[in-house]
């Protein structure tokens, strides 16, 4: 008598992203809700991290800094042969900068920039209510200087 044991490994398991397919060019809220629920969920029952499309928020901040946008000033202090650069908003500056995060998903970039720069207001827009809900749930400051929009930036006003 010959006994054969078959073992299935997770390496052959089909992932939710494989089922949903490549997100490039996807434009429906139905697709993106399924994508954020299954691929990039940050709900308490999920071990996923927020999905950053290009790079993490500190890298985007460095890019914005290099563009000299009216977000902050840079001061340099020298202490014991070390140089420290600190970027802070100037208290006398009453200019408010508004930033639109179009197609933000559940990226932490809007929260990161809001927490770092005092004189900013952030409009966060996505067609996925799942992603916006996850981002709102992560917002420890309960929407302070944040405006959430469930909308599709690619949808023309004629189609709305």
């Amino acid at each position: 008598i010959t006994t054969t044991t078959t073992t299935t490994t997770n390496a052959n398991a089909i992932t939710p992203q494989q089922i949903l397919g490549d997100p490039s060019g996807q434009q429906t809220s139905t697709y993106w809700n399924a994508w954020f629920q299954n691929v990039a969920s940050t709900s308490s029952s999920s071990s996923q991290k927020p999905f950053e499309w290009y790079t993490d928020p500190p890298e985007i901040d460095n890019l914005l800094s290099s563009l000299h946008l009216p977000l902050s000033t840079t001061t340099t202090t020298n202490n014991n042969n070390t140089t420290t650069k600190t970027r802070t908003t100037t208290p006398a500056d009453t200019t408010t900068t508004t930033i639109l995060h179009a197609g933000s998903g559940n990226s932490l970039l809007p929260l990161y920039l809001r927490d770092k720069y005092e004189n900013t207001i952030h409009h966060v827009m996505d067609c996925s209510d799942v992603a916006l809900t996850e981002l709102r749930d992560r917002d420890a400051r309960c929407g302070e200087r944040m405006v959430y929009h469930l909308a599709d930036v690619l949808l023309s006003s004629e189609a709305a």
Side-chain angles (χ1 to χ4, degrees), residues 120-136:
T120 58
I121 296 174
H122 300 264
H123 288 266
V124 182
M125 178 187 289
D126 203 278
C127 68
S128 170
D129 57 329
V130 171
L132 289 176
T133 298
E134 287 182 5
L135 189 58
R136 270 193 218 107

Side-chain angles (χ1 to χ4, degrees), residues 3 26 31 48 52 54 61 84 86 109 116 139 149 151 158:
T3 306
Q26 297 293 335
Y31 175 87
Q48 297 285 344
E52 303 299 343
Y54 301 107
D61 180 36
T84 306
T86 307
L109 181 63
K116 185 154 186 177
D139 186 357
H149 303 274
E158 296 166 0

Side-chain angles (χ1 to χ4, degrees), residues 26-91:
Q26 297 293 335
Q27 296 181 1
T28 67
S29 60
T30 303
Y31 175 87
W32 287 110
N33 282 336
W35 197 86
F36 282 105
Q37 285 172 330
N38 296 293
V39 178
S41 175
T42 60
S43 67
S44 58
S45 62
S46 172
S47 62
Q48 297 285 344
K49 295 180 180 177
F51 190 81
E52 303 299 343
W53 284 101
Y54 301 107
T55 189
D56 62 351
E59 286 297 317
I60 298 292
D61 180 36
N62 286 335
L63 173 66
L64 293 174
S65 242
S66 71
L67 297 175
H68 305 288
L69 298 174
L71 295 175
S72 64
T73 59
T74 301
T75 57
T76 303
T77 56
N78 292 314
N79 296 329
N80 302 331
N81 296 327
T82 61
T83 302
T84 306
K85 287 189 175 186
T86 307
R87 292 192 314 266
T88 57
T89 54
T90 54

